Amino acid sequence: MQKNTKLGPALTSLSHGGGCGCKISPGILAELLATLPAAQPFKQLMVGIETADDAAVYRLNDSQALIATTDFFMPIVDDPFDFGRIAATNALSDVYAMGGSPIMALAIVGMPINVLPHDVIRDILHGGQSICEAAGIPIAGGHSIDSVEPIYGLVALGLAHPDRIRRNSGARVGDVLILGKPLGVGIYSAALKKGMLSDEGYAAMINSTTLLNRAGTALAELNDVHAMTDITGFGLAGHTLELAKAAGVSIELNAQNLPILPGVGELIKQGFATAASGRNWQAYSHQVNGLTQTDEALKTLITDPQTSGGLLVSCSPSVVDQVLGIFAQYGCEQASVVGLVTSPPQVNPSQSALLWLR
């Protein structure tokens, strides 16, 4: 089980949610963004908010594009060092998902300074720093506040060649979808809060959430890799729908091929799920087809918020073996072919299902 050897309250007891399950629900977020005035065009801005991509991209010159993102959340575990590592891994993932290489990070720190022992806060920062060192980049500064709930994350900056940026909108009809990491982190976290996650489950959770998605940089070198995103708080279904909408396609997921973390199926049977899973389903269920009344377990799995989840890659069938090989090279041995990109609905596409479960 997780440990918190420092004196003071358990980290998860100080927050109302944890990890990427803290995200504002996709339905509310869409409503908030819809009311904003249209942004002024900027010639050098290659990727903004239009297609729900993982990071912003700004062209510096003909051979370099700057990737910029920020990600932070409240504790998903009580061990402060593990919390820092998970948050940093999750933040850097957005750079990899765009096809870039991280170059630098800035820390985002909000802590209840009179509640948490300073040694605990120091361990959180150390955990984040250890991941950035593994990625070969510095944490070069940041900003801190005294907050009611503990918050930690990073601003992550990266570089890529402009031709190697991988947008959500790049998916093509006929592409195969490959998922780099197994699902179930949110289900693990729900069991953890109830004291029902085994030592083996906790170890699997930490191993997955602290595994950097470095495969993204290498995958972007393949011309037949057309799009990438990472699976985080909106679950597999939510982030797959973002890709489908951006590219103007539909997607079929093969439910039998979805990789899952050890023991997750049994935990679902026992009723473990996060509140974010229900919010996710409420936001986008009208665009998902193929689920029946008996598919509650599958619904829980595809809506489960993934903290520091895997990359979802849309690529030509001709490079599937190559993509799987690159994933394995970077520690993602459970990477699996999970779906197919198909033609969009022909009638009222905005109201029709864009994601089909087979």
Side-chain angles (χ1 to χ4, degrees):
M1 293 290 289
Q2 65 175 336
K3 58 186 182 300
N4 181 11
T5 58
K6 309 290 184 181
L7 294 176
L11 286 175
T12 53
S13 71
L14 298 175
S15 59
H16 72 280
C20 287
C22 297
K23 278 188 172 183
I24 295 173
S25 82
I28 294 175
L29 183 60
E31 179 183 336
L32 293 172
L33 294 177
T35 62
L36 292 177
Q40 294 296 316
F42 290 87
K43 182 179 179 181
Q44 299 301 101
L45 184 64
M46 295 177 60
V47 181
I49 66 172
E50 298 80 11
T51 51
D53 275 286
D54 297 291
V57 182
Y58 190 90
R59 182 190 292 268
L60 299 175
N61 50 53
D62 289 343
S63 61
Q64 288 182 312
L66 177 68
I67 301 169
T69 182
T70 183
D71 216 313
F72 51 90
F73 46 60
M74 292 166 283
I76 190 173
V77 295
D78 289 326
D79 184 279
F81 186 74
D82 284 346
F83 170 43
R85 290 198 296 156
I86 294 168
T89 306
N90 180 74
L92 294 179
S93 182
D94 288 341
V95 174
Y96 295 124
M98 300 303 296
S101 298
I103 57 170
M104 182 175 75
L106 303 173
I108 300 169
V109 183
M111 295 290 157
I113 202 72
N114 294 322
V115 176
L116 278 179
H118 292 185
D119 282 352
V120 170
I121 299 172
R122 193 175 293 114
D123 281 353
I124 295 170
L125 301 180
H126 184 201
Q129 182 178 338
S130 72
I131 289 296
C132 287
E133 287 175 352
I137 65 169
I139 295 182
H143 186 66
S144 62
I145 61 169
D146 186 353
S147 64
V148 175
E149 295 179 295
I151 297 168
Y152 179 70
L154 300 176
V155 173
L157 302 175
L159 290 175
H161 192 286
D163 295 341
R164 294 301 178 195
I165 297 297
R166 292 295 180 263
R167 304 169 176 84
N168 280 347
S169 58
R172 303 178 185 178
V173 173
D175 275 0
V176 170
L177 288 183
I178 299 176
L179 179 61
K181 288 186 186 181
L183 302 170
V185 172
I187 293 156
Y188 270 173
S189 71
L192 184 64
K193 287 185 176 181
K194 299 290 187 180
M196 297 298 291
L197 185 64
S198 67
D199 290 347
E200 293 78 13
Y202 184 74
M205 178 181 179
I206 298 302
N207 288 339
S208 180
T209 55
T210 60
L211 177 63
L212 288 162
N213 278 323
R214 286 185 282 194
T217 308
L219 290 168
E221 294 296 319
L222 303 180
N223 290 331
D224 286 323
V225 167
H226 302 136
M228 287 193 293
T229 190
D230 63 345
I231 307 304
T232 55
F234 298 157
L236 175 64
H239 293 288
T240 302
L241 279 166
E242 287 180 339
L243 188 148
K245 293 173 188 175
V249 298
S250 288
I251 290 175
E252 294 182 5
L253 289 180
N254 186 334
Q256 302 303 314
N257 282 8
L258 298 181
I260 63 173
L261 289 161
V264 161
E266 184 59 34
L267 290 173
I268 292 176
K269 290 179 183 178
Q270 295 173 25
F272 289 107
T274 69
S277 180
R279 293 195 298 270
N280 285 342
W281 184 246
Q282 185 177 12
Y284 52 63
S285 60
H286 63 287
Q287 292 186 305
V288 180
N289 205 335
L291 283 171
T292 68
Q293 294 291 333
T294 60
D295 288 332
E296 284 299 314
L298 179 57
K299 183 174 77 173
T300 298
L301 188 65
I302 64 173
T303 58
D304 186 48
Q306 302 305 289
T307 299
S308 191
L311 296 179
L312 185 67
V313 177
S314 179
C315 65
S316 167
S318 64
V319 295
V320 166
D321 289 343
Q322 200 170 353
V323 170
L324 291 173
I326 289 172
F327 269 126
Q329 179 184 345
Y330 287 93
C332 298
E333 290 87 0
Q334 285 188 259
S336 304
V337 174
V338 298
L340 180 69
V341 180
T342 63
S343 297
Q346 298 301 309
V347 180
N348 296 327
S350 64
Q351 301 299 320
S352 301
L354 297 178
L355 178 61
W356 298 78
L357 280 298
R358 303 297 188 193

